[in-house]
Amino acid sequence: MPINAIIVDDEEYSRKSLFFLIDGYCPSVKIKGIARSVAEARTLLKTDTIDLVFLDIAMPVEDGFNLLPDLQRNITSVIFTTAYNQYAIKAIRASAVDYLLKPIDIQELQDSIDKAVEWKALSSENESFVVSHEPVFSSLQENLNEIRKIKKLNLPHSNGFHVLNINSIIYIQADSNYSIFYVEKGEKIIVSKHLKEYESILDDCGFCRIHKSTMINLAHLQSYSNKNGLVVKMSDNSEHSVSRRRSPEFMETVKEIFKK
C-alpha cells in the first residue's frame, strides 16, 4: 500500500538528505512535496491527500508542533525529525508518536515507515482506528505544554490507543517483551513494549524502578517495610519486593519525597 508523504524542514541539507534516503531505500513512500516551513506544509496538505509527514521540530517562526492541529484535521500520521531537545523527545515517546534522530539511520527510517504503512492499513480496515488520531495529538500537545512533566501516556493496542493519565497508574510489571499496566479501579492493560522504554519516559514523573520486573508510581505508595526484606504496599493493596540492588535508590527517593 503506497504512502503519500511530505517533508517539512527549514534546513536544505536535511530536506535533501531525507529525500534521497527515502527515494533510495523506501519504495513504499512517494514524496508529494517538500516544505521549508509550517506555512508551506499547510498549503501542501490542502492540495493533496497526505498520509505521512516527516516533520522537523526546531524551525523559525513556527516550530513543528504548530502543525499538529492541521495533521489531526487531515488524519495524517507524523514522524518527527530532530537533532536535539530531550524533553520534546520524551513527550513524543509518551504520546506514542514516532520520531527519528538526525543524522537519520536508514534502518530506523525503514522501521518508522513500516509503522506508518501498518497505521494506514488499519485505518482503511477499521474506522475506529482513524478516530484515535485525536487523542494521540491532543495528549502530545498537553505533554508539551506542561514544562518537563509528562501528564498522559498513550499505550498502543490493535485498534488504536489507550490514553492514560499517568496519575492513574499504580505500577507496571515486565513480562518478557510485554509491559503490564495496573491502573486504578482494577484495570489491567498489556502493551507489547519493554518496561525499560517506559522507565525512560517516566523516570522524573514520580515513578521508581524497584525491581527488574517492577516499576511503581510513588503517588500510590501506601507503606513499606524492611522486616523481611524491603517490601512496598500500594494503593490497591498489592505488595512488591524491592531488590537489594535498588533498595538504596528507593530509600533515597522516598526521603526526598517526604521532604517536600
Side-chain angles (χ1 to χ4, degrees):
M1 183 177 292
I3 291 286
N4 292 333
I6 62 172
I7 296 170
V8 186
D9 200 312
D10 65 308
E11 296 180 351
E12 183 178 6
Y13 172 79
S14 295
R15 294 194 301 269
K16 289 183 176 179
S17 175
L18 181 54
F19 175 83
F20 287 122
L21 284 176
I22 293 170
D23 187 55
Y25 298 95
C26 307
S28 62
V29 176
K30 183 176 182 179
I31 299 299
K32 304 290 286 186
I34 298 177
R36 296 169 295 179
S37 66
V38 168
E40 288 186 7
R42 290 192 181 104
T43 300
L44 290 176
L45 288 170
K46 292 175 182 177
T47 57
D48 211 333
T49 300
I50 303 300
D51 305 304
L52 175 63
V53 174
F54 293 93
L55 182 60
D56 185 27
I57 292 178
M59 292 185 286
V61 185
E62 292 183 280
D63 65 29
F65 299 124
N66 288 100
L67 192 62
L68 289 180
D70 299 271
L71 301 184
Q72 182 176 312
R73 285 193 292 271
N74 286 273
I75 317 298
T76 303
S77 299
V78 60
I79 297 175
F80 285 102
T81 59
T82 182
Y84 58 94
N85 196 331
Q86 291 301 310
Y87 170 68
I89 289 173
K90 181 173 286 192
I92 289 166
R93 293 175 67 194
S95 304
V97 181
D98 219 349
Y99 72 95
L100 296 167
L101 285 176
K102 299 177 182 178
I104 293 172
D105 177 81
I106 294 172
Q107 185 60 58
E108 291 179 356
L109 173 62
Q110 291 173 327
D111 290 345
S112 292
I113 288 173
D114 286 344
K115 294 176 187 176
V117 171
E118 182 181 2
W119 181 295
K120 183 177 180 181
L122 286 169
S123 297
S124 300
E125 297 168 2
N126 187 344
E127 291 183 3
S128 66
F129 191 80
V130 175
V131 178
S132 69
H133 280 74
E134 183 174 353
V136 169
F137 288 136
S138 62
S139 60
L140 172 57
Q141 194 63 61
E142 187 171 345
N143 285 337
L144 290 165
N145 289 340
E146 187 74 15
I147 302 300
R148 298 204 61 78
K149 185 178 176 70
I150 302 301
K151 296 183 70 176
K152 290 187 175 180
L153 197 62
N154 286 2
L155 305 180
H157 59 75
S158 59
N159 293 316
F161 295 89
H162 293 283
V163 182
L164 286 183
N165 186 315
I166 67 167
N167 294 330
S168 70
I169 302 168
I170 301 173
Y171 63 97
I172 313 169
Q173 284 194 322
D175 184 2
S176 186
N177 294 329
Y178 294 84
S179 296
I180 305 173
F181 286 73
Y182 292 82
V183 187
E184 291 175 337
K185 299 181 181 179
E187 187 178 5
K188 184 169 73 170
I189 301 169
I190 301 174
V191 183
S192 58
K193 288 189 177 183
H194 291 93
L195 181 58
K196 187 173 181 61
E197 179 167 345
Y198 292 109
E199 181 182 15
S200 66
I201 293 171
L202 299 169
D203 61 352
D204 58 355
C205 298
F207 286 73
C208 182
R209 186 83 174 259
I210 62 169
H211 191 276
K212 66 180 181 180
S213 63
T214 309
M215 182 165 65
I216 65 171
N217 184 351
L218 292 168
H220 285 273
L221 176 65
Q222 294 293 298
S223 62
Y224 62 91
S225 170
N226 57 7
K227 184 177 181 180
N228 296 305
L230 190 54
V231 175
V232 299
K233 185 175 182 179
M234 304 303 291
S235 61
D236 63 348
N237 291 320
S238 63
E239 295 186 349
H240 309 273
S241 298
V242 182
S243 70
R244 185 175 300 177
R245 182 172 70 87
R246 296 180 184 273
S247 292
E249 179 184 354
F250 168 77
M251 293 303 300
E252 189 64 32
T253 302
V254 171
K255 288 178 183 177
E256 287 298 318
I257 288 176
F258 285 137
K259 283 180 183 179
K260 297 178 181 179

